[in-house]
Structure formats: structure tokens, C-alpha cells
Amino acid sequence: MTYDIPSRTPLTFEEEVRARTAFADFLVRELAAHGTVRFPAHEPEERRRLLDLVPALSNALGTEVHCTPEDVTAMRFTVQTGHAQALDRT
């Protein structure tokens, strides 16, 4: 996966790419298995980083992925309704 890395991040370019890759790998596995996943995001930068992953997640899963704030400490990722069951069978 490739990412458009913003210039404002506390991580180096390589660290940012590794973090996004690790997050995306985990999220794809969890979404494929369960159709939804809660992921911690305490800082605005973490929330932005997770929101930036949505197109890559949608592409990897072949279905639309939604990301919404669940509370002040986490984001909720879900696959489009009706597609979670199809992902469970793959």
C-alpha cells in the first residue's frame, strides 16, 4: 500500500509508513473477520492517520469501509452493511 504522508507528523517518513502498514494489516484482518473494529485514537493526529487509511482499507477489502469517532479515545471502522457476511465466507 502507498500513502500520502503529510508533512506534519511526529514520526519520520519511514516510521509513518510502518505504522500505517501495521494499522492497515490489523484493520483488514479484523474487518474481514468481524465486519467492525474499534481502534484507539487519543490524539487528533492519530484520528487523521486512521481516517487516511479508509481508501486503502476499502480497496483491500473490495467494499466500502466507514470510519467514525466512537468516543474521545477511539474510532470505529465498519464495512458496508450486507458485506460483512460475504467477507466472513472468504
Side-chain angles (χ1 to χ4, degrees):
M1 291 182 209
T2 60
Y3 308 104
D4 181 26
I5 308 297
S7 58
R8 272 184 40 206
T9 177
L11 304 177
T12 67
F13 179 81
E14 291 80 13
E15 291 169 333
E16 184 72 31
V17 170
R18 282 196 307 267
R20 288 174 183 236
T21 300
F23 294 165
D25 289 347
F26 172 79
L27 291 167
V28 164
R29 283 193 312 271
E30 290 298 306
L31 286 168
H34 306 290
T36 186
V37 63
R38 183 179 193 268
F39 201 87
H42 298 275
E43 301 293 326
E45 180 66 27
E46 294 170 325
R47 289 177 183 264
R48 188 203 50 76
R49 183 177 292 120
L50 292 173
L51 285 169
D52 288 348
L53 289 177
V54 169
L57 297 173
S58 295
N59 186 47
L61 291 167
T63 188
E64 190 174 350
V65 173
H66 299 277
C67 179
T68 55
E70 187 170 70
D71 56 34
V72 296
T73 65
M75 302 291 278
R76 170 72 59 185
F77 290 85
T78 55
V79 294
Q80 186 177 11
T81 305
H83 291 274
Q85 295 83 9
L87 290 173
D88 282 339
R89 287 185 242 134
T90 58

